[in-house]
């Protein structure tokens, strides 16, 4: 279930619009929207364009696109593929409606609060993962979420983990580099065997002939 959604401008974190499900416990609302604000403050141009941050029974999913941050709080059991498809749908409509005004210096907080109506309507469509339309979305290759960065909220907020793209990329490059070093060693070893095996075989035959003729 999608519980809360906020849209903010990336460069200054100005909140542009938001929508919250009334069923969210007030104590939970305060805690998890506080986490959401902390996540927003950490995001910049170098951040991963999409990521999931797990926190207790909930997960924060965010999308950065067109200079805008879209972030939503979902129950942990809610499919990530649907969460990011939901955010993509919000991005398309939001940019189509307000993209030409995003660079304005005169924008006030929640300047596009009327967009909440579209968020609520879209959230209702995505609410039940068992509906035929959402089952189709889950089965379709709409999002490859296997490569989406996943973090834990404690690691992010209290242990100094980063959401930077380069941090994640360097980890991937180290893993890939290690894999290719091992592959290169195997290729070199196989090449050496192919190169010297005939010589070694001839040497063994020569030694055997010497033994057979002179020492037998």
């Amino acid at each position: 279930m999608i519980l809360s959604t906020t849209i903010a401008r990336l460069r200054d974190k100005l909140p542009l619009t938001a929508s919250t499900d009334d069923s969210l416990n007030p104590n939970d609302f305060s805690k998890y929207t506080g986490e959401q604000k902390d996540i927003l403050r950490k995001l910049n141009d170098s951040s991963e364009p999409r990521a999931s941050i797990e926190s207790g029974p909930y997960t924060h999913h965010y999308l950065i696109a067109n200079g805008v941050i879209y972030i939503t709080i979902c129950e942990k059991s809610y499919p990530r593929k649907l969460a990011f498809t939901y955010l993509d749908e919000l991005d398309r409509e939001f940019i189509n409606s307000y993209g030409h005004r995003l660079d304005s210096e005169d924008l006030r907080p929640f300047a596009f609060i009327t967009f909440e109506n579209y968020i609520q309507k879209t959230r209702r469509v995505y609410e039940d993962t068992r509906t035929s339309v959402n089952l189709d979305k889950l089965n379709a290759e709409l999002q490859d979420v296997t490569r989406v960065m996943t973090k834990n909220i404690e690691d992010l907020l209290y242990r100094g983990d980063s959401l930077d793209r380069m941090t994640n990329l360097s980890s991937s490059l180290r893993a890939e580099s290690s894999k290719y070093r091992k592959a290169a060693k195997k290729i070199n070893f196989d090449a050496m065997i192919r190169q010297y095996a005939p010589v070694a075989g001839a040497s063994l035959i020569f030694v055997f002939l010497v033994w057979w003729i002179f020492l037998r």
Side-chain angles (χ1 to χ4, degrees):
M1 185 176 182
I2 298 169
L3 300 172
S4 175
T5 304
T6 298
I7 300 176
R9 193 162 59 183
L10 176 61
R11 74 168 189 259
D12 54 7
K13 313 306 185 291
L14 180 74
L16 302 173
T17 188
S19 177
T20 302
D21 191 296
D22 294 335
S23 65
L24 190 61
N25 180 291
N27 292 330
D28 285 347
F29 176 79
S30 177
K31 175 184 177 183
Y32 293 107
T33 54
E35 289 179 354
Q36 192 177 76
K37 290 176 183 175
D38 288 334
I39 294 167
L40 283 171
R41 280 194 288 268
K42 282 181 168 286
L43 296 175
N44 53 56
D45 291 330
S46 299
S47 299
E48 279 288 326
R50 58 184 73 212
S52 302
I53 298 99
E54 298 174 346
S55 177
Y58 302 110
T59 300
H60 302 270
H61 303 282
Y62 78 75
L63 166 72
I64 300 175
N66 301 301
V68 179
I69 305 167
Y70 305 84
I71 186 166
T72 187
I73 302 172
C74 301
E75 293 174 334
K76 187 173 284 188
S77 60
Y78 191 80
R80 281 203 301 171
K81 179 179 282 191
L82 274 186
F84 284 109
T85 306
Y86 162 74
L87 294 178
D88 276 329
E89 194 159 325
L90 293 186
D91 172 54
R92 284 192 294 271
E93 183 62 26
F94 187 77
I95 294 301
N96 184 55
S97 300
Y98 305 110
H100 62 290
R101 297 177 56 191
L102 285 175
D103 291 331
S104 172
E105 298 298 334
D106 300 327
L107 282 183
R108 295 179 177 273
F110 299 100
F112 307 130
I113 194 63
T114 53
F115 192 72
E116 181 188 10
N117 294 328
Y118 183 83
I119 295 175
Q120 290 179 349
K121 182 180 73 173
T122 307
R123 180 169 53 79
R124 284 193 291 270
V125 171
Y126 282 81
E127 207 161 58
D128 190 350
T129 60
R130 295 167 300 179
T131 62
S132 59
V133 62
N134 286 336
L135 284 173
D136 289 342
K137 287 174 181 174
L138 277 172
N139 292 328
E141 292 301 320
L142 295 175
Q143 290 296 340
D144 178 12
V145 297
T146 59
R147 296 179 65 85
V148 172
M149 176 192 282
T150 303
K151 293 276 188 180
N152 184 277
I153 194 71
E154 284 81 8
D155 293 335
L156 182 66
L157 300 185
Y158 309 120
R159 300 192 183 99
D161 269 17
S162 171
L163 289 166
D164 284 359
R165 184 187 295 111
M166 293 307 296
T167 301
N168 193 45
L169 181 61
S170 62
S171 299
S172 299
L173 287 175
R174 283 196 296 270
E176 290 296 313
S177 176
S178 175
K179 181 177 74 175
Y180 286 125
R181 276 200 304 271
K182 291 177 181 176
K185 286 180 180 177
K186 184 177 186 305
I187 290 170
N188 289 336
F189 180 76
D190 291 344
M192 185 179 67
I193 292 296
R194 286 194 298 271
Q195 181 178 354
Y196 294 110
V199 176
S203 299
L204 286 174
I205 293 171
F206 177 75
V207 170
F208 177 76
L209 289 175
V210 170
W211 175 81
W212 178 265
I213 297 170
F214 298 104
L215 301 177
R216 191 168 177 270

